[in-house]
Amino acid sequence: MEIEKLVRPNILALKAYSSARDEYSSTGEAVLLDANENPYKSAVNRYPDPYQREVKSKLAEIKSVKPSQIFLGNGSDEAIDLIFRIFCEPGKDNIVITDPTYGMYEVSAGINNIEIIKAPLNTDFSLDPGAVLTAINENTKVVFLCSPNNPSGNLLDEAAIEKIADSFNGILVVDEAYIDFAGTASFAKNLDKYKQLIVLQTFSKAWGMAGVRLGMAFANQEIISLFNKVKPPYNINELTQQYALQQLSNPELIRKNIVQIIAERDKLKRELESLPSVDMVFPSDSNFLLVRFSNAKTLFDQLVEKKIIVRDRSKVRFGDNCLRITVGTPEENNLLIDTLKALQ
Ligand SMILES: *Cc1c(COP(=O)(O)O)cnc(C)c1O
């Protein structure tokens, strides 16, 4: 597979911006008079490392990938946008997404003037590789799969993903924003096998850092180099890099947190299933539950009145009468259940 053939010609031809810290990147002491910074020392008077080397080196150990296989973005949303700008020719190329799935792929496609083709999931939200492969045409540059899928919460079957990876000669993105709640290995273990693979993860969910905006893409070096060429030079600020380093030094704490959220998810699911207004709770490998109620619209409004805010997903495909509920603290979950009981 030749990645080059998938890249937009203007990006291939582009000469990347060379920042001051590209041209002199030694970490030792030096008199830096090359970047027009303010010389008076504070935590942030210098530009940050444009390649976030320290963060990537810690992250590489935790994620079992090489530092050269990591891109860091201002949230996964930056990585998603860059994928469009690197690979998709506006007004010509298209992408294939599943239906339903995370809304940002469609928005980003719209911003970049890229057509989207939707391949329905099965009614139980499992992946139908045949539907995706049928949807692909000669102008399809990227297929986006989300596993565990938002808003349904379920992991996609690995063999089904591989079936797509085996026969699609474009970029395959597997968005694993919720993988830490799933108890399975990342699809990134297949990076050697699939040169066209990009796995997205984020610090926004399990890592509890939605406020700092930090997302990861794992891919082979050739693709990572393209990300680096197109990204703004200093896309991850110094404060975010420092905060991430600090959090990465204590992965045990995050792991405990994840175990608790999973236990609460399973408890919340059982409690919801015992309520008469609940038709079903879809199986979840994430930190949220998609719940089918007999009267979602009414319940949604009543919950808002009680200042409990969930997400109305009743308009998405197969999401009839469904609300998406994020797993909260034990107190928040109990309040939700008590409120729903009182509303029966
Ligand atoms: C929440 C979420 C993200 C995370 O986006 P960030 O920009 O990293 O906060 C990515 N993909 C999916 C499917 C999500 O639900």
Side-chain angles (χ1 to χ4, degrees), residues 73-78 80 101-105 146-150 175-178 200-205 209-210 213-216 288 324:
N74 186 9
S76 328
D77 291 344
E78 182 179 19
I80 293 168
T101 194
Y102 183 46
M104 265 316 282
Y105 316 136
C146 187
S147 178
N149 187 46
N150 185 1
D175 185 344
E176 296 184 333
Y178 301 97
L200 301 179
Q201 292 189 15
T202 180
F203 285 90
S204 295
K205 308 286 160 57
M209 292 163 59
R213 311 304 301 127
L214 190 59
M216 320 158 230
F288 60 85
R324 195 194 70 189

Side-chain angles (χ1 to χ4, degrees), residues 238-293:
E238 181 64 26
L239 299 176
T240 295
Q241 293 191 40
Q242 284 175 14
Y243 189 79
L245 267 178
Q246 193 188 315
Q247 297 303 104
L248 283 167
S249 66
N250 201 350
E252 265 324 297
L253 197 74
I254 308 291
R255 264 178 217 126
K256 273 195 199 139
N257 202 242
I258 292 169
V259 168
Q260 183 172 10
I261 291 172
I262 292 173
E264 273 300 303
R265 172 190 77 200
D266 296 344
K267 179 174 138 241
L268 184 60
K269 181 170 191 283
R270 285 193 303 275
E271 290 176 338
L272 284 163
E273 280 168 341
S274 74
L275 300 179
S277 60
V278 169
D279 282 356
M280 77 169 293
V281 183
F282 288 90
S284 172
D285 302 294
S286 58
N287 68 336
F288 60 85
L289 294 167
L290 188 71
V291 186
R292 175 162 289 141
F293 291 89

Side-chain angles (χ1 to χ4, degrees), residues 20-32:
R21 290 289 70 75
D22 277 315
E23 291 174 16
Y24 181 87
S25 64
S26 162
T27 48
E29 284 295 306
V31 179
L32 294 174

